[in-house]
Structure formats: structure tokens, C-alpha cells
Amino acid sequence: MAGEAGAAGGMLITKAYCDKFTNPRDILWAHSQRDHNNRRNYTNLFYMKPNGNIIKVFGENAFDEVDKLFITSHGTCAGVGDVGGMENAAFAQSIRNAQGGHARLNEILTVSCQAASRTAGGLGPSFLKSLADNVRTNAATTISGWPDNVVMVGGNGLLVNSIYTDQFDVAQPQDLANLIFAASSISKRWDNEIVRMELLPQRIYTNSFRAQCENMLETFEVDGPSALTANQRERMFEEFNSVVRTKFLPADPYRNPIRSFAYLAGLTRSTADNKVTCGPGVGVNCP
């Protein structure tokens, strides 16, 4: 029932989801992660509208039932102090509003860039601090992110095994040219390749990945009698995500590497993990 925290994990996206291929890739990664009991860590997807309201896209749980949250959204959390086009504190407050009066998050992980760096030239709170100050938590809560720009690396061709870092290099010196070409190819495919998607029953639309994505989120934002039902949102996203998975995560990432999110990450490695974990669960104040 709504209000019972601890039921499941959730993923949170914003309007910035469509800006780059990295955000859809992040959702595919998060949805593939499993705990030590082989249960999926994140089984629900939510969308934060530009006005801060949060709606469910898919999953069995309401937002106030989620105890573990994964946030992917473009951010200049330190330099400008915003994430997904919203000021850090307002973003965090929107999460609190959606939690209701009793829900508590045990774990928050954000891959938004600079989430662990202070704003206002080092004088203001980081995005992690804004989350700590605004979101409903408990005595065991941990909040994690990175101080610099976040990238996905490693995995040896398997997205599920890739990790995040803010310090990286090519896996092998000879991989640099390949990395440049592969990253550019995937980026151009996201922005420009024309694909067909049945985003409404018996209605097939032809457009680029990015345009299909942006149109989908625009429909999610409609309120009133023209708003999509929860089932329509779920079906629409499942169709979109299925085509993205098929096109960008081939079964053999080495067969056509310029098409593969997993191959791209495998060309790089972490050189230092500056991830910051703070909150009452580790007894560390967020910066």
C-alpha cells in the first residue's frame, strides 16, 4: 500500500533525459543491477516534470513506497547549482513532496555531474547536501555522488558490469582513436538516426531517437482530460526503451561496436574513484 517505505528501488529522470544518449543508457544500466539475492535493485521508473511534480512511468510501486533511488539527469550541480534545469534545493524538495508524510529513503545514488561539489565558488551546499537537507531519510540513509563530471567505464562488453567514475582514461593507449570514433558515432545516431516506433497502439511514428524521446516526455507532461493513463505511459516507454535496447545493446557488442553502449564503456577505465558517500548511515555530513 502507498506509504509503506522499503518496498523497492526507483529510477528518476527529468526533461534532460533526451538530451544525450547517456541518460537512456543509465536507465538500462540501473535496471540491470541486482542485489546479493539476485533481485533487481531498481524496478520502478519515475519522471519529474519541469514543474517538479513526479509521475510514475512504469513499475509496481508508488513513489512513496520506494526506499532506494537512482537519479540520472544532466547537471552542473556545482557551477550553476542546478540539475535537470531545476535549482538543486528545489529538485530535492520536489522529491520530498512526492514522498508524502511518512516515506523514507534508505539510499540515494545520483550520477548527475558535480553532485558532490559545493556551489557558489565553493561556499554553497552541494547537490548531495541539498538532498540531505530536504529529502525524507532515516538513521541508515546514505547519499552518494561524484564531485566532477561522471562517466561510465569498464564492463568488458557487458553494461551490467560497467561502473561510474569521475576520473578515467582509455583502457589501452591504442583505444583512444577508437573511443573518439565510437563515441561520436553513438552520439550522432542518437541525435539523427531515423527509427520507427509504435508509441501508441497501431500508431507508428518515424523520427530520430532524440525526437521520439522528446515527444514522449512532452506527452507525459500533459494534464487534465488529455493526459495519458498510467498504462499508456508504461506501454509507450516500454516500446521506446525496447527499441533503444535493441539498437544500442546488441547481443554481441563486438560485432558492431559503434552501436553499443557497452562496447563504448569498455574502451575506458577508472583511474581514481572520487565518489562521495555521506549521510546519517555513514556518519558523514554531505559537503
Side-chain angles (χ1 to χ4, degrees):
M1 83 173 35
E4 291 182 355
M11 302 165 283
L12 181 62
I13 61 174
T14 70
K15 189 80 169 180
Y17 176 75
C18 304
D19 291 351
K20 294 179 65 177
F21 71 84
T22 52
N23 295 306
R25 178 210 61 192
D26 291 342
I27 293 302
L28 290 171
W29 176 89
H31 199 228
S32 72
Q33 299 302 298
R34 295 179 180 270
D35 64 17
H36 62 280
N37 292 315
N38 202 36
R39 295 175 301 197
R40 290 190 185 276
N41 287 334
Y42 306 102
T43 56
N44 305 275
L45 179 67
F46 302 91
Y47 175 56
M48 183 185 288
K49 298 181 181 182
N51 63 7
N53 291 339
I54 294 176
I55 60 172
K56 184 169 71 174
V57 178
F58 72 72
E60 298 296 324
N61 301 95
F63 192 80
D64 64 357
E65 295 176 302
V66 166
D67 69 346
K68 179 184 298 185
L69 187 64
F70 174 83
I71 302 170
T72 176
S73 179
H74 173 68
T76 50
C77 305
V80 179
D82 73 35
V83 57
M86 296 180 65
E87 192 270 333
N88 288 349
F91 187 98
Q93 184 62 51
S94 294
I95 294 176
R96 182 187 180 100
N97 293 342
Q99 286 181 289
H102 303 288
R104 296 289 187 273
L105 283 167
N106 296 332
E107 179 182 315
I108 304 173
L109 171 63
T110 176
V111 293
S112 297
C113 292
Q114 305 169 11
S117 288
R118 291 180 176 272
T119 56
L123 300 177
S126 69
F127 180 45
L128 300 188
K129 176 65 170 173
S130 292
L131 291 169
D133 287 349
N134 290 279
V135 173
R136 292 187 180 276
T137 59
N138 58 46
T141 300
T142 59
I143 305 171
S144 301
W146 285 262
D148 210 333
N149 293 337
V150 182
V151 295
M152 179 183 286
V153 301
N156 195 30
L158 294 174
L159 191 72
V160 66
N161 292 335
S162 298
I163 62 172
Y164 291 96
T165 185
D166 63 353
Q167 297 292 324
F168 76 102
D169 201 349
V170 289
Q172 301 293 334
Q174 63 269 25
D175 288 336
L176 180 57
N178 193 6
L179 175 65
I180 292 170
F181 286 122
S184 178
S185 295
I186 291 178
S187 181
K188 292 299 183 185
R189 289 189 73 222
W190 175 257
D191 287 339
N192 302 310
E193 183 173 325
I194 302 301
V195 289
R196 290 161 56 85
M197 297 184 185
E198 188 180 335
L199 295 174
L200 291 171
Q202 301 180 18
R203 297 289 187 273
I204 296 176
Y205 303 93
T206 303
N207 217 322
S208 67
F209 281 103
R210 179 168 179 168
Q212 300 271 32
C213 181
E214 291 171 342
N215 291 337
M216 175 179 67
L217 294 190
E218 185 174 346
T219 69
F220 289 177
E221 293 165 15
V222 175
D223 294 317
S226 296
L228 296 176
T229 66
N231 287 340
Q232 286 175 320
R233 282 198 303 270
E234 180 169 359
R235 186 199 177 282
M236 186 178 293
F237 187 86
E238 285 181 349
E239 166 71 5
F240 171 80
N241 206 40
S242 175
V243 177
V244 171
R245 184 186 297 108
T246 299
K247 294 286 187 177
F248 289 98
L249 276 182
D252 181 359
Y254 299 100
R255 184 176 180 85
N256 195 345
I258 67 169
R259 295 177 179 269
S260 174
F261 291 159
Y263 178 83
L264 183 64
L267 294 175
T268 57
R269 60 182 176 85
S270 177
T271 57
D273 187 3
N274 298 315
K275 181 181 179 182
V276 172
T277 297
C278 52
V282 289
V284 176
N285 291 330
C286 294

